[in-house]
Coordinates of all heavy atoms in Angstrom, one line a residue:
M1 N -1.8 -5.9 88.1 CA -2.6 -7.1 87.7 C -2.3 -8.2 88.6 O -1.2 -8.6 88.9 CB -2.2 -7.4 86.2 CG -3.0 -8.5 85.6 SD -2.5 -8.9 83.9 CE -2.4 -7.3 83.1
N2 N -3.4 -8.8 89.1 CA -3.2 -9.9 90.0 C -2.9 -11.3 89.3 O -3.0 -11.4 88.1 CB -4.5 -10.1 91.0 CG -5.7 -10.5 90.2 OD1 -5.7 -11.1 89.2 ND2 -6.9 -10.1 90.8
K3 N -2.5 -12.2 90.1 CA -2.0 -13.5 89.5 C -3.1 -14.3 88.8 O -2.8 -14.9 87.8 CB -1.3 -14.4 90.6 CG -2.3 -14.9 91.7 CD -1.6 -15.7 92.7 CE -2.6 -16.3 93.7 NZ -2.0 -17.2 94.7
E4 N -4.3 -14.1 89.3 CA -5.4 -14.8 88.6 C -5.7 -14.2 87.2 O -5.8 -15.0 86.2 CB -6.7 -14.8 89.4 CG -6.6 -15.6 90.7 CD -6.0 -14.8 91.9 OE1 -5.7 -13.7 91.8 OE2 -5.8 -15.5 92.9
T5 N -5.6 -12.9 87.1 CA -5.8 -12.2 85.8 C -4.7 -12.6 84.9 O -4.9 -13.0 83.7 CB -5.8 -10.7 86.0 OG1 -6.9 -10.4 86.8 CG2 -6.0 -10.0 84.6
K6 N -3.4 -12.6 85.4 CA -2.3 -13.0 84.6 C -2.4 -14.5 84.1 O -2.1 -14.8 82.9 CB -1.0 -12.9 85.4 CG -0.6 -11.4 85.6 CD 0.7 -11.4 86.4 CE 1.1 -10.0 86.7 NZ 2.3 -9.9 87.6
A7 N -2.9 -15.4 84.9 CA -3.0 -16.8 84.6 C -4.1 -16.9 83.5 O -3.9 -17.7 82.5 CB -3.4 -17.6 85.8
I8 N -5.2 -16.2 83.6 CA -6.3 -16.3 82.6 C -5.7 -15.7 81.2 O -6.0 -16.3 80.2 CB -7.5 -15.5 83.0 CG1 -8.1 -16.2 84.2 CG2 -8.5 -15.4 81.9 CD1 -9.2 -15.4 85.0
I9 N -5.1 -14.6 81.3 CA -4.6 -14.0 80.0 C -3.5 -14.9 79.4 O -3.6 -15.2 78.2 CB -4.0 -12.6 80.3 CG1 -5.1 -11.6 80.6 CG2 -3.1 -12.1 79.2 CD1 -4.7 -10.3 81.1
H10 N -2.7 -15.5 80.2 CA -1.7 -16.5 79.6 C -2.4 -17.6 79.0 O -2.1 -18.1 77.9 CB -0.8 -16.9 80.8 CG 0.2 -18.0 80.4 ND1 -0.2 -19.1 79.7 CD2 1.5 -18.2 80.6 CE1 0.8 -19.9 79.5 NE2 1.9 -19.3 80.0
G11 N -3.5 -18.1 79.7 CA -4.2 -19.3 79.2 C -4.9 -19.0 77.9 O -4.9 -19.8 77.0
I12 N -5.5 -17.8 77.8 CA -6.2 -17.4 76.5 C -5.2 -17.4 75.4 O -5.5 -18.0 74.3 CB -6.9 -16.1 76.7 CG1 -8.1 -16.2 77.6 CG2 -7.3 -15.5 75.3 CD1 -8.8 -14.9 78.1
K13 N -4.1 -16.8 75.6 CA -3.0 -16.7 74.5 C -2.5 -18.1 74.2 O -2.3 -18.4 73.0 CB -1.9 -15.7 75.0 CG -2.4 -14.3 75.0 CD -1.3 -13.4 75.5 CE -1.7 -11.9 75.5 NZ -0.6 -11.0 75.8
W14 N -2.2 -18.9 75.2 CA -1.6 -20.2 75.0 C -2.6 -21.1 74.3 O -2.2 -21.8 73.3 CB -1.3 -20.8 76.4 CG -0.8 -22.2 76.2 CD1 0.4 -22.7 75.9 CD2 -1.5 -23.4 76.5 NE1 0.5 -24.0 75.9 CE2 -0.7 -24.5 76.2 CE3 -2.9 -23.6 76.9 CZ2 -1.1 -25.8 76.4 CZ3 -3.3 -25.0 77.1 CH2 -2.4 -26.0 76.8
M15 N -3.9 -21.1 74.7 CA -4.9 -21.9 74.0 C -5.0 -21.5 72.5 O -5.2 -22.4 71.7 CB -6.3 -21.8 74.7 CG -6.3 -22.6 76.0 SD -7.9 -22.6 76.9 CE -7.9 -20.9 77.5
N16 N -5.0 -20.2 72.3 CA -5.1 -19.8 70.9 C -3.9 -20.2 70.1 O -4.0 -20.8 69.0 CB -5.3 -18.3 70.8 CG -5.5 -17.8 69.4 OD1 -6.2 -18.5 68.6 ND2 -5.1 -16.6 69.1
D17 N -2.7 -20.0 70.6 CA -1.4 -20.4 70.0 C -1.3 -21.9 69.7 O -0.8 -22.3 68.6 CB -0.2 -19.9 70.8 CG 0.0 -18.4 70.8 OD1 -0.6 -17.8 69.9 OD2 0.8 -18.0 71.6
T18 N -1.8 -22.7 70.6 CA -1.7 -24.1 70.5 C -2.9 -24.9 70.1 O -3.0 -26.1 70.0 CB -1.2 -24.7 71.8 OG1 -2.1 -24.4 72.8 CG2 0.2 -24.1 72.2
E19 N -4.0 -24.1 69.8 CA -5.3 -24.7 69.5 C -5.8 -25.7 70.5 O -6.2 -26.8 70.2 CB -5.3 -25.3 68.1 CG -5.0 -24.3 67.0 CD -5.0 -24.9 65.6 OE1 -5.3 -26.1 65.4 OE2 -4.8 -24.1 64.7
S20 N -5.6 -25.2 71.8 CA -5.9 -26.1 72.9 C -7.1 -25.6 73.7 O -7.1 -25.7 75.0 CB -4.7 -26.2 73.8 OG -3.6 -26.7 73.1
E21 N -8.1 -25.1 73.1 CA -9.3 -24.6 73.7 C -10.0 -25.6 74.7 O -10.6 -25.2 75.6 CB -10.3 -24.0 72.7 CG -9.8 -22.7 72.1 CD -8.8 -22.9 70.9 OE1 -8.6 -24.1 70.5 OE2 -8.3 -21.9 70.4
H22 N -9.8 -26.8 74.3 CA -10.4 -27.9 75.2 C -9.8 -27.9 76.6 O -10.3 -28.5 77.5 CB -10.2 -29.3 74.5 CG -8.8 -29.7 74.4 ND1 -8.0 -29.2 73.3 CD2 -8.0 -30.5 75.1 CE1 -6.8 -29.7 73.5 NE2 -6.8 -30.5 74.5
M23 N -8.7 -27.2 76.8 CA -8.0 -27.1 78.1 C -8.6 -26.0 79.0 O -8.0 -25.8 80.1 CB -6.5 -27.0 77.9 CG -5.9 -28.1 77.1 SD -6.0 -29.7 77.9 CE -4.8 -29.5 79.1
V24 N -9.6 -25.3 78.5 CA -10.1 -24.1 79.3 C -10.5 -24.5 80.7 O -10.3 -23.7 81.6 CB -11.3 -23.5 78.5 CG1 -12.5 -24.3 78.5 CG2 -11.5 -22.1 79.1
C25 N -10.9 -25.7 80.9 CA -11.3 -26.1 82.3 C -10.2 -25.9 83.3 O -10.4 -25.7 84.5 CB -11.9 -27.5 82.3 SG -10.7 -28.8 81.8
Q26 N -8.9 -26.0 82.9 CA -7.8 -25.8 83.8 C -7.8 -24.4 84.4 O -7.2 -24.1 85.4 CB -6.5 -26.0 83.0 CG -6.2 -27.4 82.6 CD -4.8 -27.5 82.0 OE1 -3.8 -27.3 82.7 NE2 -4.8 -27.8 80.8
Y27 N -8.4 -23.4 83.7 CA -8.4 -22.0 84.1 C -9.6 -21.6 84.9 O -9.6 -20.4 85.4 CB -8.1 -21.2 82.8 CG -6.8 -21.4 82.2 CD1 -6.7 -22.4 81.2 CD2 -5.7 -20.8 82.7 CE1 -5.5 -22.7 80.7 CE2 -4.4 -21.1 82.1 CZ -4.3 -22.1 81.1 OH -3.1 -22.4 80.6
K28 N -10.6 -22.5 85.0 CA -11.8 -22.1 85.7 C -11.6 -21.6 87.1 O -12.2 -20.6 87.5 CB -12.8 -23.3 85.7 CG -14.1 -23.0 86.3 CD -15.0 -24.2 86.3 CE -16.4 -23.9 86.8 NZ -17.2 -25.1 86.8
K29 N -10.6 -22.1 87.8 CA -10.3 -21.8 89.2 C -9.9 -20.3 89.3 O -9.9 -19.8 90.4 CB -9.3 -22.7 89.8 CG -8.0 -22.7 89.1 CD -7.0 -23.7 89.7 CE -5.7 -23.8 88.9 NZ -4.9 -24.9 89.3
Y30 N -9.4 -19.7 88.2 CA -8.9 -18.4 88.3 C -10.0 -17.3 88.1 O -9.7 -16.1 88.3 CB -7.8 -18.1 87.3 CG -6.6 -19.0 87.5 CD1 -6.3 -20.1 86.6 CD2 -5.8 -18.9 88.6 CE1 -5.2 -20.9 86.8 CE2 -4.7 -19.7 88.8 CZ -4.4 -20.7 87.9 OH -3.3 -21.5 88.2
F31 N -11.2 -17.7 87.7 CA -12.3 -16.7 87.5 C -12.9 -16.4 88.8 O -14.0 -16.9 89.1 CB -13.2 -17.3 86.4 CG -12.7 -17.3 85.1 CD1 -11.9 -18.3 84.6 CD2 -13.0 -16.2 84.2 CE1 -11.4 -18.2 83.3 CE2 -12.5 -16.2 82.9 CZ -11.7 -17.2 82.5
V32 N -12.3 -15.6 89.6 CA -12.7 -15.2 90.9 C -12.8 -13.7 91.1 O -12.4 -13.0 90.2 CB -11.7 -15.8 92.0 CG1 -11.7 -17.3 92.0 CG2 -10.3 -15.2 91.8
E33 N -13.5 -13.3 92.1 CA -13.6 -11.9 92.4 C -12.2 -11.2 92.4 O -11.3 -11.8 92.9 CB -14.3 -11.6 93.8 CG -15.8 -12.0 93.8 CD -16.6 -11.2 92.8 OE1 -16.4 -10.0 92.6 OE2 -17.5 -11.8 92.2
G34 N -12.2 -10.0 91.9 CA -10.9 -9.3 91.9 C -10.1 -9.4 90.6 O -9.2 -8.7 90.4
I35 N -10.6 -10.3 89.6 CA -9.9 -10.3 88.4 C -10.2 -9.1 87.5 O -11.3 -8.5 87.7 CB -10.2 -11.6 87.5 CG1 -11.6 -11.7 87.2 CG2 -9.6 -12.9 88.3 CD1 -12.0 -12.8 86.2
D36 N -9.4 -8.8 86.6 CA -9.6 -7.6 85.8 C -10.4 -8.0 84.5 O -9.8 -8.4 83.5 CB -8.2 -7.0 85.4 CG -8.3 -5.7 84.6 OD1 -9.4 -5.4 84.1 OD2 -7.3 -5.0 84.6
I37 N -11.7 -8.0 84.7 CA -12.6 -8.5 83.6 C -12.4 -7.7 82.3 O -12.2 -8.3 81.2 CB -14.0 -8.5 84.1 CG1 -14.2 -9.6 85.1 CG2 -15.0 -8.7 82.9 CD1 -15.6 -9.7 85.7
P38 N -12.3 -6.4 82.3 CA -12.1 -5.6 81.1 C -10.8 -6.0 80.4 O -10.8 -6.1 79.1 CB -12.1 -4.1 81.5 CG -12.9 -4.1 82.8 CD -12.6 -5.4 83.5
E39 N -9.7 -6.2 81.1 CA -8.5 -6.6 80.5 C -8.5 -8.0 79.9 O -8.0 -8.3 78.8 CB -7.3 -6.5 81.5 CG -6.0 -6.8 81.0 CD -5.5 -5.8 79.9 OE1 -6.0 -4.6 80.0 OE2 -4.7 -6.1 79.0
I40 N -9.2 -8.9 80.6 CA -9.4 -10.3 80.0 C -10.2 -10.2 78.8 O -9.9 -10.9 77.8 CB -10.0 -11.2 81.1 CG1 -9.0 -11.4 82.3 CG2 -10.4 -12.5 80.5 CD1 -9.6 -12.0 83.5
V41 N -11.3 -9.4 78.8 CA -12.1 -9.3 77.6 C -11.3 -8.7 76.4 O -11.4 -9.2 75.3 CB -13.4 -8.5 77.9 CG1 -14.1 -8.1 76.6 CG2 -14.3 -9.2 78.8
K42 N -10.5 -7.7 76.7 CA -9.6 -7.1 75.7 C -8.7 -8.1 75.1 O -8.5 -8.2 73.8 CB -8.8 -6.0 76.3 CG -8.0 -5.2 75.4 CD -7.3 -4.0 76.2 CE -6.0 -3.8 75.7 NZ -5.3 -2.7 76.5
V43 N -8.1 -9.0 75.9 CA -7.2 -10.0 75.4 C -8.0 -11.0 74.6 O -7.6 -11.5 73.5 CB -6.4 -10.7 76.5 CG1 -5.7 -11.9 76.0 CG2 -5.5 -9.7 77.1
F44 N -9.1 -11.4 75.0 CA -10.0 -12.4 74.3 C -10.4 -11.8 72.9 O -10.3 -12.5 71.9 CB -11.2 -12.8 75.1 CG -11.9 -14.0 74.5 CD1 -11.5 -15.3 74.8 CD2 -13.0 -13.8 73.6 CE1 -12.1 -16.4 74.3 CE2 -13.6 -14.9 73.1 CZ -13.2 -16.2 73.4
Q45 N -10.7 -10.5 72.9 CA -11.0 -9.8 71.7 C -9.8 -9.8 70.7 O -10.0 -10.1 69.5 CB -11.5 -8.4 71.9 CG -12.8 -8.3 72.6 CD -13.1 -6.8 73.0 OE1 -12.2 -6.1 73.3 NE2 -14.4 -6.5 73.2
S46 N -8.7 -9.6 71.3 CA -7.4 -9.6 70.4 C -7.1 -11.0 69.9 O -6.7 -11.1 68.7 CB -6.3 -9.0 71.3 OG -5.1 -9.2 70.6
E47 N -7.3 -12.0 70.7 CA -6.9 -13.3 70.3 C -7.9 -14.1 69.4 O -7.6 -14.9 68.6 CB -6.6 -14.2 71.5 CG -5.4 -13.7 72.3 CD -4.1 -13.9 71.6 OE1 -3.9 -15.0 71.0 OE2 -3.2 -13.0 71.7
Y48 N -9.2 -13.8 69.7 CA -10.3 -14.6 69.1 C -11.3 -13.7 68.3 O -11.6 -14.1 67.2 CB -11.0 -15.4 70.1 CG -10.2 -16.6 70.6 CD1 -9.6 -16.5 71.9 CD2 -10.1 -17.7 69.9 CE1 -8.9 -17.6 72.4 CE2 -9.4 -18.8 70.4 CZ -8.8 -18.7 71.6 OH -8.0 -19.8 72.1
D49 N -12.0 -12.8 69.0 CA -13.2 -12.2 68.4 C -13.3 -10.7 68.8 O -13.6 -10.5 70.0 CB -14.4 -13.0 68.8 CG -15.7 -12.4 68.2 OD1 -15.7 -11.4 67.6 OD2 -16.7 -13.0 68.5
S50 N -13.0 -9.8 67.9 CA -13.0 -8.4 68.3 C -14.4 -7.9 68.7 O -14.5 -6.8 69.3 CB -12.5 -7.6 67.1 OG -13.3 -7.7 66.0
T51 N -15.5 -8.7 68.4 CA -16.8 -8.2 68.8 C -17.3 -8.8 70.1 O -18.4 -8.5 70.6 CB -17.8 -8.7 67.7 OG1 -17.9 -10.1 67.6 CG2 -17.4 -8.1 66.3
F52 N -16.5 -9.7 70.7 CA -16.8 -10.3 72.0 C -17.0 -9.2 73.1 O -16.1 -8.3 73.2 CB -15.8 -11.3 72.4 CG -16.1 -12.0 73.7 CD1 -16.9 -13.1 73.8 CD2 -15.5 -11.6 74.9 CE1 -17.1 -13.8 75.0 CE2 -15.7 -12.2 76.1 CZ -16.6 -13.3 76.1
T53 N -18.1 -9.2 73.8 CA -18.3 -8.3 74.9 C -18.8 -9.1 76.1 O -19.4 -10.2 76.0 CB -19.3 -7.2 74.5 OG1 -20.6 -7.8 74.2 CG2 -18.8 -6.4 73.4
F54 N -18.6 -8.5 77.3 CA -19.0 -9.1 78.5 C -19.1 -8.1 79.6 O -18.2 -7.3 79.8 CB -18.1 -10.3 78.9 CG -18.5 -10.9 80.2 CD1 -19.5 -11.9 80.2 CD2 -18.0 -10.5 81.4 CE1 -20.0 -12.5 81.4 CE2 -18.4 -11.1 82.6 CZ -19.4 -12.1 82.6
E55 N -20.1 -8.2 80.4 CA -20.3 -7.5 81.7 C -20.9 -8.5 82.6 O -21.9 -9.1 82.3 CB -21.1 -6.3 81.5 CG -20.4 -5.2 80.7 CD -21.3 -3.9 80.7 OE1 -22.1 -3.7 81.6 OE2 -21.1 -3.1 79.8
G56 N -20.4 -8.6 83.8 CA -20.9 -9.5 84.8 C -19.9 -10.1 85.8 O -18.8 -9.5 85.9
D57 N -20.3 -11.2 86.4 CA -19.4 -11.8 87.4 C -18.3 -12.7 86.8 O -18.5 -13.2 85.6 CB -20.3 -12.7 88.3 CG -21.3 -11.9 89.1 OD1 -21.0 -10.8 89.5 OD2 -22.4 -12.5 89.4
P58 N -17.2 -12.8 87.5 CA -16.1 -13.6 86.9 C -16.5 -15.0 86.4 O -16.0 -15.4 85.3 CB -15.1 -13.7 88.1 CG -15.4 -12.4 88.9 CD -16.9 -12.3 88.8
I59 N -17.2 -15.8 87.2 CA -17.6 -17.1 86.7 C -18.4 -17.1 85.5 O -18.3 -18.0 84.6 CB -18.2 -18.0 87.9 CG1 -18.2 -19.5 87.6 CG2 -19.6 -17.5 88.2 CD1 -16.8 -20.1 87.3
D60 N -19.2 -16.0 85.4 CA -20.0 -15.9 84.2 C -19.2 -15.6 83.0 O -19.5 -16.0 81.8 CB -21.1 -14.8 84.4 CG -22.1 -15.3 85.4 OD1 -22.4 -16.5 85.6 OD2 -22.7 -14.4 86.1
L61 N -18.1 -14.9 83.2 CA -17.1 -14.7 82.1 C -16.5 -16.0 81.6 O -16.4 -16.3 80.4 CB -16.0 -13.7 82.5 CG -14.9 -13.5 81.5 CD1 -15.4 -13.0 80.1 CD2 -13.9 -12.6 82.0
Y62 N -16.2 -16.9 82.6 CA -15.7 -18.2 82.2 C -16.7 -18.9 81.3 O -16.4 -19.4 80.2 CB -15.4 -19.0 83.5 CG -15.2 -20.5 83.2 CD1 -13.9 -20.9 82.7 CD2 -16.2 -21.4 83.3 CE1 -13.7 -22.2 82.4 CE2 -15.9 -22.8 83.0 CZ -14.7 -23.2 82.6 OH -14.4 -24.5 82.3
W63 N -18.0 -18.9 81.7 CA -19.0 -19.6 80.9 C -19.3 -18.9 79.6 O -19.6 -19.6 78.6 CB -20.3 -19.8 81.8 CG -20.1 -20.8 82.9 CD1 -20.1 -20.5 84.2 CD2 -19.8 -22.2 82.7 NE1 -19.8 -21.7 84.9 CE2 -19.6 -22.7 84.0 CE3 -19.6 -23.0 81.6 CZ2 -19.3 -24.1 84.3 CZ3 -19.3 -24.4 81.9 CH2 -19.2 -24.9 83.2
A64 N -19.1 -17.6 79.5 CA -19.3 -16.9 78.2 C -18.2 -17.3 77.3 O -18.4 -17.5 76.1 CB -19.3 -15.4 78.5
I65 N -16.9 -17.5 77.8 CA -15.8 -18.0 76.9 C -16.1 -19.4 76.5 O -15.8 -19.7 75.3 CB -14.5 -17.8 77.7 CG1 -14.2 -16.3 77.8 CG2 -13.4 -18.5 77.0 CD1 -13.0 -16.0 78.7
V66 N -16.5 -20.2 77.4 CA -16.8 -21.6 77.1 C -17.8 -21.7 76.0 O -17.7 -22.4 75.0 CB -17.2 -22.4 78.3 CG1 -17.8 -23.8 77.9 CG2 -16.0 -22.6 79.2
E67 N -18.9 -20.9 76.1 CA -20.0 -20.8 75.1 C -19.4 -20.4 73.8 O -19.8 -20.9 72.7 CB -21.1 -20.0 75.6 CG -22.3 -20.0 74.7 CD -23.4 -19.1 75.2 OE1 -23.5 -18.8 76.4 OE2 -24.3 -18.7 74.4
W68 N -18.6 -19.4 73.8 CA -18.0 -18.9 72.6 C -17.2 -20.0 71.9 O -17.3 -20.2 70.7 CB -17.1 -17.6 72.8 CG -16.7 -17.0 71.5 CD1 -17.3 -16.0 70.9 CD2 -15.6 -17.4 70.7 NE1 -16.6 -15.7 69.7 CE2 -15.6 -16.5 69.6 CE3 -14.6 -18.3 70.8 CZ2 -14.6 -16.6 68.6 CZ3 -13.6 -18.4 69.8 CH2 -13.6 -17.6 68.7
Y69 N -16.3 -20.7 72.7 CA -15.6 -21.8 72.1 C -16.5 -22.8 71.5 O -16.3 -23.3 70.4 CB -14.7 -22.5 73.2 CG -13.5 -21.7 73.6 CD1 -12.9 -22.0 74.9 CD2 -12.9 -20.7 72.8 CE1 -11.8 -21.3 75.3 CE2 -11.7 -20.1 73.2 CZ -11.2 -20.3 74.5 OH -10.1 -19.7 74.9
D70 N -17.6 -23.2 72.2 CA -18.5 -24.2 71.7 C -19.2 -23.7 70.4 O -19.3 -24.5 69.5 CB -19.6 -24.5 72.8 CG -20.5 -25.6 72.4 OD1 -20.0 -26.6 71.7 OD2 -21.7 -25.6 72.8
D71 N -19.6 -22.5 70.4 CA -20.3 -22.0 69.2 C -19.4 -21.8 68.0 O -19.7 -22.1 66.9 CB -21.0 -20.6 69.5 CG -22.1 -20.7 70.4 OD1 -22.6 -21.9 70.7 OD2 -22.6 -19.7 71.0
E72 N -18.2 -21.3 68.2 CA -17.3 -21.0 67.1 C -16.3 -22.1 66.8 O -15.8 -22.1 65.6 CB -16.5 -19.7 67.5 CG -17.4 -18.5 67.8 CD -18.2 -18.1 66.6 OE1 -17.8 -18.3 65.4 OE2 -19.4 -17.7 66.8
I73 N -15.9 -22.9 67.7 CA -14.9 -24.0 67.5 C -15.5 -25.4 67.5 O -14.9 -26.3 67.1 CB -13.8 -23.8 68.5 CG1 -13.1 -22.4 68.3 CG2 -12.7 -24.9 68.3 CD1 -12.1 -22.1 69.3
G74 N -16.7 -25.5 68.1 CA -17.3 -26.8 68.3 C -16.8 -27.6 69.4 O -16.7 -28.8 69.4
F75 N -16.5 -26.9 70.5 CA -16.0 -27.5 71.7 C -17.0 -27.3 72.8 O -17.7 -26.3 72.9 CB -14.7 -26.7 72.1 CG -14.4 -26.8 73.6 CD1 -13.8 -28.0 74.1 CD2 -14.6 -25.8 74.4 CE1 -13.5 -28.1 75.4 CE2 -14.3 -25.9 75.7 CZ -13.8 -27.0 76.3
D76 N -17.2 -28.3 73.6 CA -18.2 -28.2 74.7 C -17.5 -28.6 76.0 O -17.0 -29.7 76.1 CB -19.4 -29.2 74.4 CG -20.5 -29.0 75.4 OD1 -20.6 -27.9 76.0 OD2 -21.3 -29.9 75.6
E77 N -17.6 -27.8 77.0 CA -17.1 -28.1 78.4 C -18.3 -28.1 79.3 O -19.1 -27.2 79.3 CB -16.2 -26.9 78.8 CG -15.9 -26.8 80.3 CD -15.1 -28.0 80.8 OE1 -14.4 -28.7 80.0 OE2 -15.1 -28.2 82.0
D78 N -18.4 -29.2 80.0 CA -19.5 -29.4 81.0 C -19.3 -28.7 82.2 O -18.3 -28.7 82.9 CB -19.7 -30.9 81.2 CG -20.2 -31.6 80.0 OD1 -21.0 -31.0 79.2 OD2 -19.7 -32.7 79.7

């Protein structure tokens, strides 16, 4: 697992534990080619929503997570 994937997974778990979803923008830089998208989705499902699915590019995963936060928690990241 590469360092970017590890950082994103750590961030998802940390944001859930601390209710700090508004800090997601700190992790945007890690959504780059080569991340383990299926593993990140699996962790997001475990932490937030077991029905969350995603297929696509890394940056689009970032925006899908932001959209989920906005829809479910009422948080908006520009």
Side-chain angles (χ1 to χ4, degrees):
M1 184 180 310
N2 65 27
K3 67 180 181 176
E4 291 84 6
T5 301
K6 288 179 185 178
I8 293 166
I9 288 172
H10 174 313
I12 290 169
K13 291 179 178 183
W14 176 79
M15 287 183 285
N16 188 32
D17 288 345
T18 61
E19 297 182 1
S20 300
E21 288 80 9
H22 63 282
M23 302 296 285
V24 68
C25 61
Q26 292 186 63
Y27 297 91
K28 184 178 181 181
K29 65 185 174 190
Y30 298 112
F31 286 83
V32 296
E33 290 299 321
I35 61 170
D36 188 341
I37 290 175
E39 185 62 27
I40 294 166
V41 169
K42 183 174 142 185
V43 170
F44 193 85
Q45 290 170 335
S46 173
E47 295 291 322
Y48 288 102
D49 180 357
S50 62
T51 65
F52 181 84
T53 59
F54 178 82
E55 290 185 23
D57 295 327
I59 195 61
D60 294 330
L61 175 57
Y62 170 80
W63 289 115
I65 290 171
V66 168
E67 183 177 341
W68 189 94
Y69 285 157
D70 186 33
D71 291 346
E72 300 300 324
I73 300 173
F75 156 77
D76 187 24
E77 164 64 21
D78 293 320

